[in-house]
Structures are given as C-alpha cells and as structure tokens.
Amino acid sequence: MDQPVADPNLGTRQILWDSIPEARSLIRELEDGEAEEAAEAGREPFVSFSTHMINILLIFEEAAERERLETVDHFLNAYEKILEINHDYTNIVMDDWVIERVRRLGEKVRPRCGPLLRGRAFPKEQQE
C-alpha cells in the first residue's frame, strides 16, 4: 500500500474509518477533542495511530465477547489492511496493542482472522 510521506499515520486513520463504521463516532470524538486542545494551545491538531487504536480496542473486545461477528469482522479486516502496510510504526502499534488481545480472544476470533493477522497472533499454527 503506497502512502504519501506527508501522512504520518500511513493511511491508518482512513483504514479505520472506512473499515469500522462502529468506531466512527469515537474517532470523531477523539479528533474533535484534539482539535479543541490544539486550538487552545496554538498548534496543529494531531491524533496518532496508536491513540486511535488504544481508544477503539474496547469496541473490538466487547464485540468479540458478545459475538457481534459483523463488528468483529470489520475490526479484523482493518487490522489485516494495517498489517499489509508492513511499516515499523504500524507493526509496533499492532504488536503493542492488538496482537495480544487477538491472541487472548482465541477461538472467538482466530477462524475469522486474515493470513497476516493469524500468522502474527497465532504463529505456532503456521509451524504445524
């Protein structure tokens, strides 16, 4: 996935927005809050990929626990697309915030994971 250099989030915000309609109100809330803080501080607003991920993870975990499979699939699709970027920054955020949660949810999500996410969250399966 080619991303413009000017996009410090490597297109991740757009992936989240396009793939996970259930997270849009939270994304908008984060960005509106940041815009207000930035305006007060006299700086440009910026919400990092890691901030987006940290804040929307609860939606994913709750959907998995309650077996809201359509929402789970939206998140897993977004995670797969983000892993396709294959950039150090996105990989670190995914490793730090997502992979362990996917692993912990196990069978609730494993069969629904794409190949990149499955390989990262359940690497022992790849060896068998």
Side-chain angles (χ1 to χ4, degrees), residues 2-33:
D2 292 330
Q3 295 297 324
V5 175
D7 181 359
N9 284 312
L10 302 165
T12 55
R13 187 262 187 212
Q14 195 63 46
I15 290 170
L16 297 173
W17 184 267
D18 291 344
S19 300
I20 313 169
E22 299 86 348
R24 288 179 187 156
S25 63
L26 184 52
I27 291 169
R28 189 174 293 119
E29 184 180 314
L30 285 169
E31 293 171 352
D32 288 349

PDB file of all heavy atoms in Angstrom, residues 2-33:
ATOM      1  N   ASP A   2       0.874   2.047  -1.020  1.00  0.00           N
ATOM      2  CA  ASP A   2       1.679   3.255  -1.089  1.00  0.00           C
ATOM      3  C   ASP A   2       0.972   4.383  -0.349  1.00  0.00           C
ATOM      4  O   ASP A   2      -0.203   4.631  -0.570  1.00  0.00           O
ATOM      5  CB  ASP A   2       1.898   3.676  -2.539  1.00  0.00           C
ATOM      6  CG  ASP A   2       2.783   2.694  -3.275  1.00  0.00           C
ATOM      7  OD1 ASP A   2       3.642   2.088  -2.616  1.00  0.00           O
ATOM      8  OD2 ASP A   2       2.606   2.522  -4.491  1.00  0.00           O
ATOM      9  N   GLN A   3       1.714   5.038   0.535  1.00  0.00           N
ATOM     10  CA  GLN A   3       1.166   6.148   1.299  1.00  0.00           C
ATOM     11  C   GLN A   3       2.031   7.372   1.081  1.00  0.00           C
ATOM     12  O   GLN A   3       3.254   7.270   1.001  1.00  0.00           O
ATOM     13  CB  GLN A   3       1.134   5.806   2.794  1.00  0.00           C
ATOM     14  CG  GLN A   3       0.200   4.681   3.147  1.00  0.00           C
ATOM     15  CD  GLN A   3      -1.240   5.018   2.826  1.00  0.00           C
ATOM     16  OE1 GLN A   3      -1.677   6.149   2.960  1.00  0.00           O
ATOM     17  NE2 GLN A   3      -1.978   4.037   2.365  1.00  0.00           N
ATOM     18  N   PRO A   4       1.427   8.550   1.021  1.00  0.00           N
ATOM     19  CA  PRO A   4       2.218   9.765   0.873  1.00  0.00           C
ATOM     20  C   PRO A   4       3.063  10.006   2.120  1.00  0.00           C
ATOM     21  O   PRO A   4       2.651   9.706   3.230  1.00  0.00           O
ATOM     22  CB  PRO A   4       1.165  10.859   0.706  1.00  0.00           C
ATOM     23  CG  PRO A   4      -0.101  10.292   1.241  1.00  0.00           C
ATOM     24  CD  PRO A   4      -0.004   8.798   1.075  1.00  0.00           C
ATOM     25  N   VAL A   5       4.233  10.561   1.928  1.00  0.00           N
ATOM     26  CA  VAL A   5       5.143  10.845   3.034  1.00  0.00           C
ATOM     27  C   VAL A   5       4.503  11.809   4.021  1.00  0.00           C
ATOM     28  O   VAL A   5       4.736  11.734   5.221  1.00  0.00           O
ATOM     29  CB  VAL A   5       6.473  11.417   2.505  1.00  0.00           C
ATOM     30  CG1 VAL A   5       7.389  11.831   3.634  1.00  0.00           C
ATOM     31  CG2 VAL A   5       7.153  10.402   1.608  1.00  0.00           C
ATOM     32  N   ALA A   6       3.662  12.708   3.549  1.00  0.00           N
ATOM     33  CA  ALA A   6       3.038  13.713   4.406  1.00  0.00           C
ATOM     34  C   ALA A   6       2.039  13.113   5.395  1.00  0.00           C
ATOM     35  O   ALA A   6       1.574  13.796   6.283  1.00  0.00           O
ATOM     36  CB  ALA A   6       2.344  14.762   3.549  1.00  0.00           C
ATOM     37  N   ASP A   7       1.683  11.857   5.255  1.00  0.00           N
ATOM     38  CA  ASP A   7       0.718  11.214   6.149  1.00  0.00           C
ATOM     39  C   ASP A   7       1.474  10.458   7.236  1.00  0.00           C
ATOM     40  O   ASP A   7       1.885   9.324   7.034  1.00  0.00           O
ATOM     41  CB  ASP A   7      -0.170  10.262   5.349  1.00  0.00           C
ATOM     42  CG  ASP A   7      -1.217   9.570   6.207  1.00  0.00           C
ATOM     43  OD1 ASP A   7      -1.257   9.805   7.432  1.00  0.00           O
ATOM     44  OD2 ASP A   7      -1.983   8.772   5.653  1.00  0.00           O
ATOM     45  N   PRO A   8       1.675  11.071   8.414  1.00  0.00           N
ATOM     46  CA  PRO A   8       2.460  10.406   9.461  1.00  0.00           C
ATOM     47  C   PRO A   8       1.800   9.142  10.001  1.00  0.00           C
ATOM     48  O   PRO A   8       2.456   8.332  10.633  1.00  0.00           O
ATOM     49  CB  PRO A   8       2.590  11.480  10.543  1.00  0.00           C
ATOM     50  CG  PRO A   8       1.439  12.388  10.314  1.00  0.00           C
ATOM     51  CD  PRO A   8       1.168  12.359   8.838  1.00  0.00           C
ATOM     52  N   ASN A   9       0.528   8.978   9.756  1.00  0.00           N
ATOM     53  CA  ASN A   9      -0.174   7.770  10.210  1.00  0.00           C
ATOM     54  C   ASN A   9      -0.274   6.716   9.118  1.00  0.00           C
ATOM     55  O   ASN A   9      -0.953   5.705   9.285  1.00  0.00           O
ATOM     56  CB  ASN A   9      -1.560   8.125  10.745  1.00  0.00           C
ATOM     57  CG  ASN A   9      -1.484   8.750  12.116  1.00  0.00           C
ATOM     58  OD1 ASN A   9      -0.820   8.251  13.004  1.00  0.00           O
ATOM     59  ND2 ASN A   9      -2.173   9.867  12.287  1.00  0.00           N
ATOM     60  N   LEU A  10       0.358   6.950   7.981  1.00  0.00           N
ATOM     61  CA  LEU A  10       0.448   5.977   6.891  1.00  0.00           C
ATOM     62  C   LEU A  10      -0.907   5.496   6.384  1.00  0.00           C
ATOM     63  O   LEU A  10      -1.042   4.359   5.953  1.00  0.00           O
ATOM     64  CB  LEU A  10       1.312   4.782   7.323  1.00  0.00           C
ATOM     65  CG  LEU A  10       2.735   5.158   7.760  1.00  0.00           C
ATOM     66  CD1 LEU A  10       3.370   4.010   8.511  1.00  0.00           C
ATOM     67  CD2 LEU A  10       3.569   5.549   6.557  1.00  0.00           C
ATOM     68  N   GLY A  11      -1.909   6.344   6.469  1.00  0.00           N
ATOM     69  CA  GLY A  11      -3.237   5.984   5.974  1.00  0.00           C
ATOM     70  C   GLY A  11      -4.064   5.157   6.939  1.00  0.00           C
ATOM     71  O   GLY A  11      -5.169   4.729   6.602  1.00  0.00           O
ATOM     72  N   THR A  12      -3.563   4.945   8.141  1.00  0.00           N
ATOM     73  CA  THR A  12      -4.258   4.081   9.089  1.00  0.00           C
ATOM     74  C   THR A  12      -5.589   4.656   9.545  1.00  0.00           C
ATOM     75  O   THR A  12      -6.559   3.921   9.716  1.00  0.00           O
ATOM     76  CB  THR A  12      -3.380   3.791  10.317  1.00  0.00           C
ATOM     77  OG1 THR A  12      -2.958   5.030  10.896  1.00  0.00           O
ATOM     78  CG2 THR A  12      -2.175   2.956   9.931  1.00  0.00           C
ATOM     79  N   ARG A  13      -5.653   5.947   9.723  1.00  0.00           N
ATOM     80  CA  ARG A  13      -6.906   6.571  10.157  1.00  0.00           C
ATOM     81  C   ARG A  13      -7.992   6.306   9.120  1.00  0.00           C
ATOM     82  O   ARG A  13      -9.117   5.974   9.460  1.00  0.00           O
ATOM     83  CB  ARG A  13      -6.687   8.067  10.367  1.00  0.00           C
ATOM     84  CG  ARG A  13      -7.886   8.773  10.992  1.00  0.00           C
ATOM     85  CD  ARG A  13      -8.724   9.438   9.942  1.00  0.00           C
ATOM     86  NE  ARG A  13      -9.777  10.252  10.542  1.00  0.00           N
ATOM     87  CZ  ARG A  13     -10.949  10.419   9.972  1.00  0.00           C
ATOM     88  NH1 ARG A  13     -11.250   9.848   8.836  1.00  0.00           N
ATOM     89  NH2 ARG A  13     -11.860  11.161  10.544  1.00  0.00           N
ATOM     90  N   GLN A  14      -7.643   6.427   7.853  1.00  0.00           N
ATOM     91  CA  GLN A  14      -8.625   6.199   6.793  1.00  0.00           C
ATOM     92  C   GLN A  14      -9.060   4.733   6.757  1.00  0.00           C
ATOM     93  O   GLN A  14     -10.233   4.441   6.527  1.00  0.00           O
ATOM     94  CB  GLN A  14      -8.068   6.626   5.436  1.00  0.00           C
ATOM     95  CG  GLN A  14      -9.137   6.763   4.373  1.00  0.00           C
ATOM     96  CD  GLN A  14     -10.147   7.858   4.730  1.00  0.00           C
ATOM     97  OE1 GLN A  14      -9.790   8.956   5.124  1.00  0.00           O
ATOM     98  NE2 GLN A  14     -11.419   7.545   4.594  1.00  0.00           N
ATOM     99  N   ILE A  15      -8.125   3.823   6.983  1.00  0.00           N
ATOM    100  CA  ILE A  15      -8.473   2.398   7.036  1.00  0.00           C
ATOM    101  C   ILE A  15      -9.475   2.159   8.165  1.00  0.00           C
ATOM    102  O   ILE A  15     -10.494   1.485   7.972  1.00  0.00           O
ATOM    103  CB  ILE A  15      -7.219   1.518   7.224  1.00  0.00           C
ATOM    104  CG1 ILE A  15      -6.366   1.534   5.954  1.00  0.00           C
ATOM    105  CG2 ILE A  15      -7.606   0.077   7.589  1.00  0.00           C
ATOM    106  CD1 ILE A  15      -4.994   0.889   6.111  1.00  0.00           C
ATOM    107  N   LEU A  16      -9.178   2.701   9.344  1.00  0.00           N
ATOM    108  CA  LEU A  16     -10.090   2.523  10.476  1.00  0.00           C
ATOM    109  C   LEU A  16     -11.455   3.117  10.169  1.00  0.00           C
ATOM    110  O   LEU A  16     -12.491   2.488  10.418  1.00  0.00           O
ATOM    111  CB  LEU A  16      -9.497   3.158  11.739  1.00  0.00           C
ATOM    112  CG  LEU A  16      -8.191   2.553  12.248  1.00  0.00           C
ATOM    113  CD1 LEU A  16      -7.635   3.389  13.390  1.00  0.00           C
ATOM    114  CD2 LEU A  16      -8.362   1.104  12.660  1.00  0.00           C
ATOM    115  N   TRP A  17     -11.465   4.311   9.610  1.00  0.00           N
ATOM    116  CA  TRP A  17     -12.729   4.998   9.293  1.00  0.00           C
ATOM    117  C   TRP A  17     -13.537   4.202   8.265  1.00  0.00           C
ATOM    118  O   TRP A  17     -14.729   3.997   8.434  1.00  0.00           O
ATOM    119  CB  TRP A  17     -12.432   6.401   8.778  1.00  0.00           C
ATOM    120  CG  TRP A  17     -13.673   7.192   8.537  1.00  0.00           C
ATOM    121  CD1 TRP A  17     -14.365   7.308   7.365  1.00  0.00           C
ATOM    122  CD2 TRP A  17     -14.386   7.972   9.498  1.00  0.00           C
ATOM    123  NE1 TRP A  17     -15.464   8.110   7.528  1.00  0.00           N
ATOM    124  CE2 TRP A  17     -15.494   8.531   8.832  1.00  0.00           C
ATOM    125  CE3 TRP A  17     -14.197   8.245  10.849  1.00  0.00           C
ATOM    126  CZ2 TRP A  17     -16.418   9.359   9.487  1.00  0.00           C
ATOM    127  CZ3 TRP A  17     -15.108   9.076  11.496  1.00  0.00           C
ATOM    128  CH2 TRP A  17     -16.204   9.617  10.809  1.00  0.00           C
ATOM    129  N   ASP A  18     -12.880   3.774   7.209  1.00  0.00           N
ATOM    130  CA  ASP A  18     -13.581   3.064   6.137  1.00  0.00           C
ATOM    131  C   ASP A  18     -14.026   1.664   6.540  1.00  0.00           C
ATOM    132  O   ASP A  18     -15.076   1.195   6.106  1.00  0.00           O
ATOM    133  CB  ASP A  18     -12.684   2.947   4.897  1.00  0.00           C
ATOM    134  CG  ASP A  18     -12.426   4.271   4.209  1.00  0.00           C
ATOM    135  OD1 ASP A  18     -13.152   5.254   4.480  1.00  0.00           O
ATOM    136  OD2 ASP A  18     -11.478   4.330   3.405  1.00  0.00           O
ATOM    137  N   SER A  19     -13.237   0.991   7.357  1.00  0.00           N
ATOM    138  CA  SER A  19     -13.488  -0.417   7.668  1.00  0.00           C
ATOM    139  C   SER A  19     -14.378  -0.645   8.879  1.00  0.00           C
ATOM    140  O   SER A  19     -15.015  -1.688   8.982  1.00  0.00           O
ATOM    141  CB  SER A  19     -12.160  -1.149   7.928  1.00  0.00           C
ATOM    142  OG  SER A  19     -11.329  -1.087   6.797  1.00  0.00           O
ATOM    143  N   ILE A  20     -14.395   0.302   9.807  1.00  0.00           N
ATOM    144  CA  ILE A  20     -15.083   0.073  11.087  1.00  0.00           C
ATOM    145  C   ILE A  20     -16.099   1.183  11.351  1.00  0.00           C
ATOM    146  O   ILE A  20     -15.854   2.128  12.115  1.00  0.00           O
ATOM    147  CB  ILE A  20     -14.077   0.005  12.258  1.00  0.00           C
ATOM    148  CG1 ILE A  20     -12.904  -0.901  11.926  1.00  0.00           C
ATOM    149  CG2 ILE A  20     -14.791  -0.474  13.529  1.00  0.00           C
ATOM    150  CD1 ILE A  20     -11.755  -0.818  12.913  1.00  0.00           C
ATOM    151  N   PRO A  21     -17.282   1.086  10.747  1.00  0.00           N
ATOM    152  CA  PRO A  21     -18.284   2.134  10.985  1.00  0.00           C
ATOM    153  C   PRO A  21     -18.670   2.262  12.461  1.00  0.00           C
ATOM    154  O   PRO A  21     -19.015   3.351  12.919  1.00  0.00           O
ATOM    155  CB  PRO A  21     -19.475   1.710  10.120  1.00  0.00           C
ATOM    156  CG  PRO A  21     -19.219   0.314   9.694  1.00  0.00           C
ATOM    157  CD  PRO A  21     -17.755   0.054   9.822  1.00  0.00           C
ATOM    158  N   GLU A  22     -18.543   1.174  13.206  1.00  0.00           N
ATOM    159  CA  GLU A  22     -18.892   1.194  14.628  1.00  0.00           C
ATOM    160  C   GLU A  22     -17.950   2.081  15.443  1.00  0.00           C
ATOM    161  O   GLU A  22     -18.284   2.475  16.567  1.00  0.00           O
ATOM    162  CB  GLU A  22     -18.848  -0.228  15.208  1.00  0.00           C
ATOM    163  CG  GLU A  22     -19.816  -1.194  14.565  1.00  0.00           C
ATOM    164  CD  GLU A  22     -19.262  -1.885  13.303  1.00  0.00           C
ATOM    165  OE1 GLU A  22     -18.207  -1.470  12.764  1.00  0.00           O
ATOM    166  OE2 GLU A  22     -19.902  -2.840  12.845  1.00  0.00           O
ATOM    167  N   ALA A  23     -16.794   2.401  14.908  1.00  0.00           N
ATOM    168  CA  ALA A  23     -15.808   3.212  15.632  1.00  0.00           C
ATOM    169  C   ALA A  23     -15.816   4.673  15.193  1.00  0.00           C
ATOM    170  O   ALA A  23     -15.114   5.494  15.793  1.00  0.00           O
ATOM    171  CB  ALA A  23     -14.413   2.622  15.435  1.00  0.00           C
ATOM    172  N   ARG A  24     -16.595   5.017  14.197  1.00  0.00           N
ATOM    173  CA  ARG A  24     -16.537   6.377  13.650  1.00  0.00           C
ATOM    174  C   ARG A  24     -16.890   7.455  14.667  1.00  0.00           C
ATOM    175  O   ARG A  24     -16.239   8.498  14.715  1.00  0.00           O
ATOM    176  CB  ARG A  24     -17.435   6.498  12.424  1.00  0.00           C
ATOM    177  CG  ARG A  24     -16.874   5.775  11.236  1.00  0.00           C
ATOM    178  CD  ARG A  24     -17.769   5.882  10.031  1.00  0.00           C
ATOM    179  NE  ARG A  24     -17.258   5.033   8.961  1.00  0.00           N
ATOM    180  CZ  ARG A  24     -17.999   4.560   7.994  1.00  0.00           C
ATOM    181  NH1 ARG A  24     -19.288   4.864   7.913  1.00  0.00           N
ATOM    182  NH2 ARG A  24     -17.456   3.792   7.072  1.00  0.00           N
ATOM    183  N   SER A  25     -17.899   7.221  15.476  1.00  0.00           N
ATOM    184  CA  SER A  25     -18.262   8.267  16.446  1.00  0.00           C
ATOM    185  C   SER A  25     -17.140   8.477  17.455  1.00  0.00           C
ATOM    186  O   SER A  25     -16.862   9.611  17.846  1.00  0.00           O
ATOM    187  CB  SER A  25     -19.582   7.938  17.146  1.00  0.00           C
ATOM    188  OG  SER A  25     -19.474   6.755  17.899  1.00  0.00           O
ATOM    189  N   LEU A  26     -16.466   7.425  17.869  1.00  0.00           N
ATOM    190  CA  LEU A  26     -15.349   7.553  18.800  1.00  0.00           C
ATOM    191  C   LEU A  26     -14.160   8.228  18.128  1.00  0.00           C
ATOM    192  O   LEU A  26     -13.498   9.083  18.727  1.00  0.00           O
ATOM    193  CB  LEU A  26     -14.943   6.191  19.361  1.00  0.00           C
ATOM    194  CG  LEU A  26     -13.843   6.198  20.417  1.00  0.00           C
ATOM    195  CD1 LEU A  26     -14.140   7.167  21.552  1.00  0.00           C
ATOM    196  CD2 LEU A  26     -13.634   4.797  20.958  1.00  0.00           C
ATOM    197  N   ILE A  27     -13.890   7.877  16.875  1.00  0.00           N
ATOM    198  CA  ILE A  27     -12.811   8.527  16.129  1.00  0.00           C
ATOM    199  C   ILE A  27     -13.090  10.030  16.029  1.00  0.00           C
ATOM    200  O   ILE A  27     -12.217  10.857  16.289  1.00  0.00           O
ATOM    201  CB  ILE A  27     -12.640   7.897  14.728  1.00  0.00           C
ATOM    202  CG1 ILE A  27     -12.080   6.474  14.858  1.00  0.00           C
ATOM    203  CG2 ILE A  27     -11.750   8.772  13.839  1.00  0.00           C
ATOM    204  CD1 ILE A  27     -12.118   5.674  13.557  1.00  0.00           C
ATOM    205  N   ARG A  28     -14.319  10.364  15.678  1.00  0.00           N
ATOM    206  CA  ARG A  28     -14.699  11.779  15.553  1.00  0.00           C
ATOM    207  C   ARG A  28     -14.568  12.488  16.910  1.00  0.00           C
ATOM    208  O   ARG A  28     -14.063  13.607  16.989  1.00  0.00           O
ATOM    209  CB  ARG A  28     -16.120  11.900  15.019  1.00  0.00           C
ATOM    210  CG  ARG A  28     -16.496  13.327  14.652  1.00  0.00           C
ATOM    211  CD  ARG A  28     -17.851  13.445  13.980  1.00  0.00           C
ATOM    212  NE  ARG A  28     -17.839  12.805  12.676  1.00  0.00           N
ATOM    213  CZ  ARG A  28     -18.619  11.773  12.336  1.00  0.00           C
ATOM    214  NH1 ARG A  28     -19.461  11.262  13.196  1.00  0.00           N
ATOM    215  NH2 ARG A  28     -18.565  11.257  11.129  1.00  0.00           N
ATOM    216  N   GLU A  29     -14.983  11.827  17.981  1.00  0.00           N
ATOM    217  CA  GLU A  29     -14.888  12.404  19.317  1.00  0.00           C
ATOM    218  C   GLU A  29     -13.428  12.670  19.702  1.00  0.00           C
ATOM    219  O   GLU A  29     -13.098  13.740  20.227  1.00  0.00           O
ATOM    220  CB  GLU A  29     -15.534  11.442  20.320  1.00  0.00           C
ATOM    221  CG  GLU A  29     -15.593  11.928  21.736  1.00  0.00           C
ATOM    222  CD  GLU A  29     -16.243  10.893  22.647  1.00  0.00           C
ATOM    223  OE1 GLU A  29     -17.298  10.346  22.271  1.00  0.00           O
ATOM    224  OE2 GLU A  29     -15.671  10.634  23.712  1.00  0.00           O
ATOM    225  N   LEU A  30     -12.551  11.713  19.440  1.00  0.00           N
ATOM    226  CA  LEU A  30     -11.118  11.896  19.714  1.00  0.00           C
ATOM    227  C   LEU A  30     -10.564  13.087  18.943  1.00  0.00           C
ATOM    228  O   LEU A  30      -9.823  13.910  19.489  1.00  0.00           O
ATOM    229  CB  LEU A  30     -10.338  10.646  19.305  1.00  0.00           C
ATOM    230  CG  LEU A  30     -10.419   9.432  20.191  1.00  0.00           C
ATOM    231  CD1 LEU A  30      -9.812   8.224  19.473  1.00  0.00           C
ATOM    232  CD2 LEU A  30      -9.707   9.690  21.500  1.00  0.00           C
ATOM    233  N   GLU A  31     -10.905  13.154  17.674  1.00  0.00           N
ATOM    234  CA  GLU A  31     -10.376  14.207  16.817  1.00  0.00           C
ATOM    235  C   GLU A  31     -10.946  15.574  17.173  1.00  0.00           C
ATOM    236  O   GLU A  31     -10.226  16.563  17.136  1.00  0.00           O
ATOM    237  CB  GLU A  31     -10.616  13.840  15.354  1.00  0.00           C
ATOM    238  CG  GLU A  31      -9.785  12.634  14.952  1.00  0.00           C
ATOM    239  CD  GLU A  31     -10.108  12.067  13.583  1.00  0.00           C
ATOM    240  OE1 GLU A  31     -11.099  12.505  12.946  1.00  0.00           O
ATOM    241  OE2 GLU A  31      -9.362  11.169  13.149  1.00  0.00           O
ATOM    242  N   ASP A  32     -12.222  15.620  17.532  1.00  0.00           N
ATOM    243  CA  ASP A  32     -12.818  16.896  17.944  1.00  0.00           C
ATOM    244  C   ASP A  32     -12.165  17.395  19.232  1.00  0.00           C
ATOM    245  O   ASP A  32     -11.865  18.589  19.367  1.00  0.00           O
ATOM    246  CB  ASP A  32     -14.326  16.759  18.133  1.00  0.00           C
ATOM    247  CG  ASP A  32     -15.082  16.603  16.820  1.00  0.00           C
ATOM    248  OD1 ASP A  32     -14.480  16.808  15.737  1.00  0.00           O
ATOM    249  OD2 ASP A  32     -16.281  16.243  16.882  1.00  0.00           O
ATOM    250  N   GLY A  33     -11.939  16.483  20.180  1.00  0.00           N
ATOM    251  CA  GLY A  33     -11.279  16.861  21.428  1.00  0.00           C
ATOM    252  C   GLY A  33      -9.867  17.360  21.188  1.00  0.00           C
ATOM    253  O   GLY A  33      -9.433  18.362  21.777  1.00  0.00           O
TER     254      GLY A  33
END
